[in-house]
């Protein structure tokens, strides 16, 4: 950055200790501008979000809709906590899930290939109240969906949290 070759850097799947280690105790260290991690209603990563805010590292949520193409009904799109709030607010389940993350300060980039869904995921009014946010945070069971085994020895990337894919194998893929 000091040489003018990059404007900013970003990382993915870093925990707080890994982010802090980049500074190496140097007060002038260049920190990442962004950390991209799995986050959705059912893996809200509140503690990580708070820590990243304190370090002034923006966070981008990948799989913000729980990856319905891969996990189908187990993605959370059909969960009672999401559908009840969707019915109450007139939002789609995807909009509830996006609104939940945006309200907390996440950068959210949902994936879709369907033009109408892309439009729905962008063009809507954020309607969730603080009560809705609190209800989701309280009632949505927390569980990571993605935990690739691509560390040395075939170990999962995330060893800091239990990984239980809700008893369902993803469609067309192996964890």
């Amino acid at each position: 950055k000091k040489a003018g070759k990059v404007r900013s850097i970003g990382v993915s799947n870093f925990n707080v200790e890994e982010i802090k280690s980049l500074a190496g105790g140097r007060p002038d260290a260049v920190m990442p501008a962004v950390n991209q991690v799995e986050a959705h209603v059912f893996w809200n990563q509140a503690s990580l979000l708070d820590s990243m805010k304190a370090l002034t590292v923006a966070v981008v949520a990948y799989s913000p809709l729980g990856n319905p193409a891969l996990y189908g009904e187990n993605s959370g799109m059909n969960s009672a906590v999401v559908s009840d709030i969707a019915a109450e607010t007139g939002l789609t389940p995807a909009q509830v899930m996006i609104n939940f993350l945006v309200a907390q300060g996440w950068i959210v980039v949902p994936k879709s290939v369907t033009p109408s869904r892309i439009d729905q995921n962008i063009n809507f009014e954020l309607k969730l109240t603080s009560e809705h946010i609190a209800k989701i945070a309280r009632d949505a069971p927390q569980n990571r969906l993605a935990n690739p085994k691509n560390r040395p020895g075939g170990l999962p990337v995330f060893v800091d949290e239990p990984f239980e894919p809700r008893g369902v194998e993803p469609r067309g893929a192996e964890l």
Side-chain angles (χ1 to χ4, degrees):
K1 188 170 181 177
K2 291 176 184 174
K5 294 185 180 192
V6 297
R7 292 183 187 166
S8 60
I9 60 169
V11 295
S12 183
N13 297 320
F14 274 47
N15 62 36
V16 177
E17 291 75 28
E18 289 170 322
I19 293 283
K20 287 180 178 178
S21 74
L22 296 175
R26 298 181 321 268
D28 63 335
V30 175
M31 295 296 284
V34 66
N35 185 14
Q36 183 183 33
V37 298
E38 176 185 358
H40 42 78
V41 166
F42 299 95
W43 191 246
N44 66 42
Q45 301 227 53
S47 176
L48 179 68
L49 177 65
D50 291 342
S51 297
M52 293 297 104
K53 284 180 182 178
L55 294 168
T56 66
V57 175
V59 282
V60 173
Y62 69 72
S63 295
L65 303 179
N67 201 339
L70 188 60
Y71 293 98
E73 290 186 20
N74 290 312
S75 71
M77 295 281 278
N78 298 318
S79 76
V81 68
V82 171
S83 8
D84 290 352
I85 292 174
E88 180 184 332
T89 58
L91 296 172
T92 67
Q95 290 169 338
V96 168
M97 295 175 84
I98 294 166
N99 193 157
F100 173 77
L101 292 171
V102 169
Q104 296 174 81
W106 287 92
I107 299 166
V108 180
V109 186
K111 178 186 177 217
S112 181
V113 296
T114 308
S116 62
R117 286 193 189 132
I118 293 169
D119 186 59
Q120 284 179 342
N121 293 344
I122 295 171
N123 296 313
F124 71 96
E125 181 181 339
L126 300 177
K127 294 182 179 180
L128 298 189
T129 65
S130 57
E131 290 79 20
H132 292 129
I133 302 296
K135 178 178 177 44
I136 293 170
R138 180 187 68 240
D139 295 348
Q142 296 298 294
N143 199 2
R144 185 185 303 280
L145 288 174
N147 197 358
K149 295 180 179 179
N150 62 358
R151 291 255 166 113
L155 297 174
V157 170
F158 308 107
V159 293
D160 57 332
E161 298 290 338
F163 175 63
E164 300 170 25
R166 299 190 204 159
V168 175
E169 290 296 316
R171 294 184 290 183
E174 290 187 25
L175 290 176

